[in-house]
Amino acid sequence: MISFYPGPSQVYNDIPKYVRDAHTKGILSMNHRSTEFMDLYKETVTLLKTKLNIPDSYKIFFTSSSTECWEIIAQSVIEKDSLHIFNGAFGEKWFTYTQRLVPAAQPVPFDCESKLPIKKIPDSYSGVLCITQNETSNGTEVNADILLSIKRKYPKALIAVDATSSMGGIALNFKSADIWFASVQKCFGLPAGLAVMVCSPGAIQRMKSKNESGHYNSLSILNEMADKWQTSYTPNVLGIYLLMRTLKKRKSIEQTHQKIKSRSEAWQKFFRGSPHITFFIKNETVTSLTVLTLTAKPELIKVIKHRAKTKGILLGDGYGGLKQDTFRIANFPAIKDTEIRKLQQFLRSYL
Ligand SMILES: *Cc1c(COP(=O)(O)O)cnc(C)c1O
């Protein structure tokens, strides 16, 4: 089966080989307090920094999911309040999860055809600004220029960015925010159960000022353990190993970004002029590069998804409120050109 699901998504072809290697090398039962594990943690962090252009001064933590990162930010970083600027289901979910722990969390919803409304952020805001860089539910993105202007305009704020469905697929300017996180079952092309959380010195400072250590996954404890290249609980060692192996083989993020961008342009061209299947988002300046959300009549979507499956192609369902009216196609690095051609050949008769 070729999977175009935008998460959990198709994994790299080499994964079975790497899992066998992990078994042979004893990684599957590796002790997480051993020097071998500490070396693995360190090597993976070095590779992440080199391959994704993460500044050396930033710290990298391993958690089990992006949802866990939402909660870590709420419990360990947000002091008084947070502002959640979102246009879709994932950003909204982040807000609701945060609100349970931080009642003063504020929602700032915006239209998914519009650019993120910077003006709606109060002047000299100093709380935590929560932004979903790539909204997986509707296929929109907040581009690098906007993130950078927010960083410049709000130097007192701490900026947290959910990049779950874009990190590893597009080049991100890590300096333009303080906390970035992504789980690995999207653009990293790996099985679920691991997430990467990237923190600037400013984020670490804010965590220290909040001084919260009441949880096994309090950021202060993760930070203390990371200083020893360890984790506070037995982590997904296999996941970290697979991340290390795939990163080693990866091209630079600029090269990957170019590939994802030209594939995205090719998809735009492919659907252009079709009376039956169109992009859900009409404004190309806010359209995601990594997740394509397409709209068609619900009956047609059902037929397409079903027929695709019989041909060995898995398409992504619409998400949340968009379930009936949309379907999604992942534009993630682990997908091969031949597979895209196969999907286009299949879809051509429905255009
Ligand atoms: C998939 C996704 C999540 C949730 O990731 P988990 O690993 O399931 O916690 C959060 N945010 C975005 C934008 C996503 O695409």
Side-chain angles (χ1 to χ4, degrees), residues 107-142:
V108 181
F110 68 99
D111 187 86
C112 58
E113 290 287 351
S114 311
K115 288 211 159 120
L116 185 144
I118 301 182
K119 281 196 215 107
K120 288 198 178 165
I121 307 168
D123 289 341
S124 73
Y125 185 73
S126 62
V128 179
L129 285 174
C130 299
I131 298 167
T132 305
Q133 192 276 326
N134 200 72
E135 180 48 77
T136 322
S137 65
N138 58 24
T140 56
E141 70 153 22
V142 176

Short mmCIF file of all heavy atoms in Angstrom, two decimals, residues 107-142:
data_model
loop_
_atom_site.label_atom_id
_atom_site.label_comp_id
_atom_site.label_asym_id
_atom_site.label_seq_id
_atom_site.Cartn_x
_atom_site.Cartn_y
_atom_site.Cartn_z
N PRO A 107 -8.05 32.47 23.06
CA PRO A 107 -8.09 32.06 21.64
C PRO A 107 -8.17 33.28 20.72
O PRO A 107 -8.87 34.25 21.03
CB PRO A 107 -9.39 31.27 21.56
CG PRO A 107 -10.29 31.91 22.60
CD PRO A 107 -9.39 32.49 23.67
N VAL A 108 -7.44 33.24 19.61
CA VAL A 108 -7.58 34.26 18.57
C VAL A 108 -7.77 33.53 17.24
O VAL A 108 -6.82 33.27 16.51
CB VAL A 108 -6.32 35.17 18.49
CG1 VAL A 108 -6.49 36.24 17.41
CG2 VAL A 108 -6.03 35.84 19.82
N PRO A 109 -9.02 33.14 16.95
CA PRO A 109 -9.23 32.42 15.70
C PRO A 109 -9.16 33.37 14.51
O PRO A 109 -9.45 34.56 14.65
CB PRO A 109 -10.65 31.84 15.84
CG PRO A 109 -11.26 32.49 17.03
CD PRO A 109 -10.25 33.33 17.74
N PHE A 110 -8.72 32.85 13.36
CA PHE A 110 -8.74 33.68 12.15
C PHE A 110 -9.15 32.84 10.95
O PHE A 110 -9.13 31.61 10.99
CB PHE A 110 -7.39 34.41 11.93
CG PHE A 110 -6.21 33.52 11.58
CD1 PHE A 110 -5.78 33.37 10.26
CD2 PHE A 110 -5.50 32.88 12.58
CE1 PHE A 110 -4.68 32.59 9.93
CE2 PHE A 110 -4.39 32.08 12.27
CZ PHE A 110 -3.98 31.93 10.95
N ASP A 111 -9.55 33.53 9.89
CA ASP A 111 -10.06 32.86 8.71
C ASP A 111 -8.95 32.11 7.98
O ASP A 111 -7.85 32.63 7.84
CB ASP A 111 -10.68 33.91 7.78
CG ASP A 111 -11.38 33.27 6.61
OD1 ASP A 111 -12.57 32.92 6.77
OD2 ASP A 111 -10.73 33.06 5.56
N CYS A 112 -9.25 30.90 7.50
CA CYS A 112 -8.18 30.09 6.90
C CYS A 112 -7.76 30.58 5.51
O CYS A 112 -6.74 30.15 4.99
CB CYS A 112 -8.53 28.60 6.90
SG CYS A 112 -10.03 28.20 6.05
N GLU A 113 -8.50 31.52 4.92
CA GLU A 113 -8.07 32.10 3.64
C GLU A 113 -7.20 33.35 3.86
O GLU A 113 -6.69 33.93 2.90
CB GLU A 113 -9.27 32.48 2.77
CG GLU A 113 -10.05 31.29 2.21
CD GLU A 113 -9.34 30.54 1.09
OE1 GLU A 113 -8.30 31.01 0.60
OE2 GLU A 113 -9.83 29.47 0.71
N SER A 114 -7.07 33.77 5.13
CA SER A 114 -6.33 35.01 5.41
C SER A 114 -4.97 34.72 6.01
O SER A 114 -4.76 33.67 6.61
CB SER A 114 -7.08 35.87 6.42
OG SER A 114 -8.42 36.01 6.03
N LYS A 115 -4.08 35.71 5.87
CA LYS A 115 -2.78 35.61 6.54
C LYS A 115 -2.99 35.79 8.04
O LYS A 115 -3.98 36.42 8.46
CB LYS A 115 -1.87 36.73 6.03
CG LYS A 115 -1.40 36.47 4.60
CD LYS A 115 -0.01 37.05 4.37
CE LYS A 115 0.64 36.39 3.19
NZ LYS A 115 0.99 37.29 2.10
N LEU A 116 -2.08 35.25 8.84
CA LEU A 116 -2.20 35.40 10.29
C LEU A 116 -2.28 36.88 10.66
O LEU A 116 -1.43 37.67 10.25
CB LEU A 116 -1.00 34.73 10.97
CG LEU A 116 -1.01 34.69 12.49
CD1 LEU A 116 -0.39 33.40 13.00
CD2 LEU A 116 -0.29 35.88 13.09
N PRO A 117 -3.33 37.27 11.41
CA PRO A 117 -3.54 38.70 11.70
C PRO A 117 -2.66 39.19 12.86
O PRO A 117 -3.08 39.18 14.02
CB PRO A 117 -5.03 38.75 12.09
CG PRO A 117 -5.33 37.38 12.60
CD PRO A 117 -4.36 36.42 11.99
N ILE A 118 -1.45 39.64 12.52
CA ILE A 118 -0.49 40.08 13.54
C ILE A 118 -1.09 41.19 14.42
O ILE A 118 -0.86 41.25 15.62
CB ILE A 118 0.82 40.57 12.88
CG1 ILE A 118 1.44 39.43 12.06
CG2 ILE A 118 1.83 41.07 13.93
CD1 ILE A 118 2.76 39.76 11.39
N LYS A 119 -1.91 42.04 13.78
CA LYS A 119 -2.49 43.18 14.51
C LYS A 119 -3.33 42.77 15.70
O LYS A 119 -3.57 43.57 16.61
CB LYS A 119 -3.35 44.01 13.55
CG LYS A 119 -2.55 44.91 12.65
CD LYS A 119 -3.47 45.97 12.02
CE LYS A 119 -3.04 46.30 10.62
NZ LYS A 119 -3.91 45.76 9.58
N LYS A 120 -3.81 41.55 15.70
CA LYS A 120 -4.67 41.11 16.82
C LYS A 120 -3.88 40.76 18.08
O LYS A 120 -4.45 40.49 19.12
CB LYS A 120 -5.51 39.91 16.38
CG LYS A 120 -6.62 40.29 15.42
CD LYS A 120 -7.69 39.21 15.36
CE LYS A 120 -8.81 39.64 14.43
NZ LYS A 120 -9.66 38.49 14.07
N ILE A 121 -2.54 40.76 17.97
CA ILE A 121 -1.72 40.51 19.16
C ILE A 121 -1.53 41.85 19.87
O ILE A 121 -1.07 42.81 19.23
CB ILE A 121 -0.35 39.91 18.77
CG1 ILE A 121 -0.53 38.68 17.88
CG2 ILE A 121 0.47 39.58 20.02
CD1 ILE A 121 0.74 38.17 17.21
N PRO A 122 -1.87 41.94 21.17
CA PRO A 122 -1.73 43.22 21.86
C PRO A 122 -0.28 43.73 21.84
O PRO A 122 0.65 42.92 21.93
CB PRO A 122 -2.15 42.92 23.29
CG PRO A 122 -2.86 41.61 23.25
CD PRO A 122 -2.37 40.88 22.05
N ASP A 123 -0.10 45.04 21.73
CA ASP A 123 1.25 45.63 21.75
C ASP A 123 1.97 45.22 23.03
O ASP A 123 1.35 45.11 24.07
CB ASP A 123 1.16 47.16 21.69
CG ASP A 123 0.71 47.61 20.31
OD1 ASP A 123 0.82 46.81 19.36
OD2 ASP A 123 0.21 48.75 20.18
N SER A 124 3.23 45.03 22.94
CA SER A 124 4.11 44.64 24.04
C SER A 124 3.62 43.40 24.80
O SER A 124 3.78 43.27 26.01
CB SER A 124 4.38 45.80 25.01
OG SER A 124 3.24 46.07 25.78
N TYR A 125 3.00 42.49 24.06
CA TYR A 125 2.56 41.22 24.67
C TYR A 125 3.79 40.47 25.20
O TYR A 125 4.81 40.37 24.53
CB TYR A 125 1.82 40.36 23.64
CG TYR A 125 1.25 39.09 24.24
CD1 TYR A 125 0.13 39.14 25.07
CD2 TYR A 125 1.85 37.85 24.01
CE1 TYR A 125 -0.39 37.99 25.64
CE2 TYR A 125 1.34 36.69 24.59
CZ TYR A 125 0.22 36.78 25.40
OH TYR A 125 -0.28 35.64 25.98
N SER A 126 3.66 39.92 26.43
CA SER A 126 4.83 39.25 27.00
C SER A 126 4.54 37.81 27.44
O SER A 126 5.36 37.16 28.07
CB SER A 126 5.36 40.06 28.19
OG SER A 126 4.35 40.11 29.18
N GLY A 127 3.36 37.31 27.10
CA GLY A 127 3.03 35.92 27.43
C GLY A 127 3.57 34.97 26.37
O GLY A 127 4.52 35.29 25.65
N VAL A 128 2.96 33.80 26.26
CA VAL A 128 3.40 32.82 25.26
C VAL A 128 2.45 32.86 24.06
O VAL A 128 1.24 32.70 24.20
CB VAL A 128 3.46 31.40 25.87
CG1 VAL A 128 3.90 30.38 24.81
CG2 VAL A 128 4.43 31.36 27.06
N LEU A 129 3.03 33.11 22.88
CA LEU A 129 2.25 33.13 21.64
C LEU A 129 2.30 31.75 21.01
O LEU A 129 3.39 31.23 20.75
CB LEU A 129 2.87 34.12 20.65
CG LEU A 129 2.65 35.61 20.90
CD1 LEU A 129 3.46 36.41 19.88
CD2 LEU A 129 1.17 35.94 20.77
N CYS A 130 1.15 31.14 20.80
CA CYS A 130 1.12 29.76 20.28
C CYS A 130 0.62 29.77 18.84
O CYS A 130 -0.51 30.19 18.57
CB CYS A 130 0.22 28.91 21.16
SG CYS A 130 0.82 28.83 22.86
N ILE A 131 1.48 29.31 17.95
CA ILE A 131 1.18 29.38 16.52
C ILE A 131 1.35 28.00 15.88
O ILE A 131 2.35 27.32 16.13
CB ILE A 131 2.11 30.41 15.83
CG1 ILE A 131 1.87 31.81 16.42
CG2 ILE A 131 1.91 30.41 14.32
CD1 ILE A 131 2.93 32.82 16.06
N THR A 132 0.39 27.61 15.08
CA THR A 132 0.50 26.35 14.35
C THR A 132 1.05 26.69 12.97
O THR A 132 0.35 27.31 12.16
CB THR A 132 -0.89 25.66 14.25
OG1 THR A 132 -1.39 25.51 15.57
CG2 THR A 132 -0.79 24.30 13.58
N GLN A 133 2.32 26.35 12.73
CA GLN A 133 2.96 26.76 11.48
C GLN A 133 2.29 26.10 10.28
O GLN A 133 2.07 26.73 9.26
CB GLN A 133 4.46 26.42 11.52
CG GLN A 133 5.29 27.05 10.41
CD GLN A 133 5.26 26.25 9.13
OE1 GLN A 133 5.20 25.03 9.17
NE2 GLN A 133 5.27 26.94 7.99
N ASN A 134 1.98 24.82 10.43
CA ASN A 134 1.32 24.11 9.33
C ASN A 134 0.06 23.46 9.88
O ASN A 134 0.15 22.55 10.70
CB ASN A 134 2.27 23.06 8.76
CG ASN A 134 1.89 22.62 7.36
OD1 ASN A 134 2.05 23.37 6.41
ND2 ASN A 134 1.34 21.42 7.25
N GLU A 135 -1.10 23.97 9.48
CA GLU A 135 -2.37 23.45 10.01
C GLU A 135 -2.78 22.24 9.15
O GLU A 135 -3.30 22.38 8.04
CB GLU A 135 -3.41 24.58 10.01
CG GLU A 135 -4.79 24.21 10.52
CD GLU A 135 -4.84 23.44 11.85
OE1 GLU A 135 -4.67 24.05 12.92
OE2 GLU A 135 -5.07 22.23 11.78
N THR A 136 -2.53 21.07 9.71
CA THR A 136 -2.72 19.80 9.00
C THR A 136 -4.19 19.54 8.64
O THR A 136 -4.48 18.78 7.72
CB THR A 136 -2.19 18.66 9.90
OG1 THR A 136 -1.01 19.11 10.56
CG2 THR A 136 -1.85 17.42 9.10
N SER A 137 -5.11 20.15 9.37
CA SER A 137 -6.53 19.86 9.12
C SER A 137 -7.06 20.53 7.86
O SER A 137 -7.90 19.96 7.17
CB SER A 137 -7.37 20.31 10.32
OG SER A 137 -7.31 21.72 10.46
N ASN A 138 -6.57 21.74 7.55
CA ASN A 138 -7.13 22.43 6.38
C ASN A 138 -6.09 22.74 5.29
O ASN A 138 -6.43 23.27 4.24
CB ASN A 138 -7.86 23.72 6.81
CG ASN A 138 -6.96 24.67 7.58
OD1 ASN A 138 -5.74 24.63 7.44
ND2 ASN A 138 -7.55 25.53 8.39
N GLY A 139 -4.82 22.41 5.56
CA GLY A 139 -3.80 22.62 4.54
C GLY A 139 -3.36 24.06 4.37
O GLY A 139 -3.16 24.53 3.24
N THR A 140 -3.17 24.77 5.49
CA THR A 140 -2.65 26.14 5.42
C THR A 140 -1.32 26.22 6.16
O THR A 140 -1.02 25.37 7.00
CB THR A 140 -3.60 27.17 6.06
OG1 THR A 140 -3.85 26.79 7.41
CG2 THR A 140 -4.90 27.27 5.30
N GLU A 141 -0.55 27.29 5.86
CA GLU A 141 0.69 27.49 6.59
C GLU A 141 0.87 28.96 6.96
O GLU A 141 0.30 29.85 6.33
CB GLU A 141 1.91 27.02 5.77
CG GLU A 141 2.21 27.88 4.56
CD GLU A 141 3.69 27.85 4.15
OE1 GLU A 141 4.41 26.91 4.49
OE2 GLU A 141 4.10 28.81 3.47
N VAL A 142 1.69 29.16 8.00
CA VAL A 142 2.11 30.52 8.36
C VAL A 142 3.54 30.61 7.86
O VAL A 142 4.40 29.85 8.31
CB VAL A 142 2.05 30.72 9.89
CG1 VAL A 142 2.58 32.10 10.27
CG2 VAL A 142 0.63 30.51 10.41
#
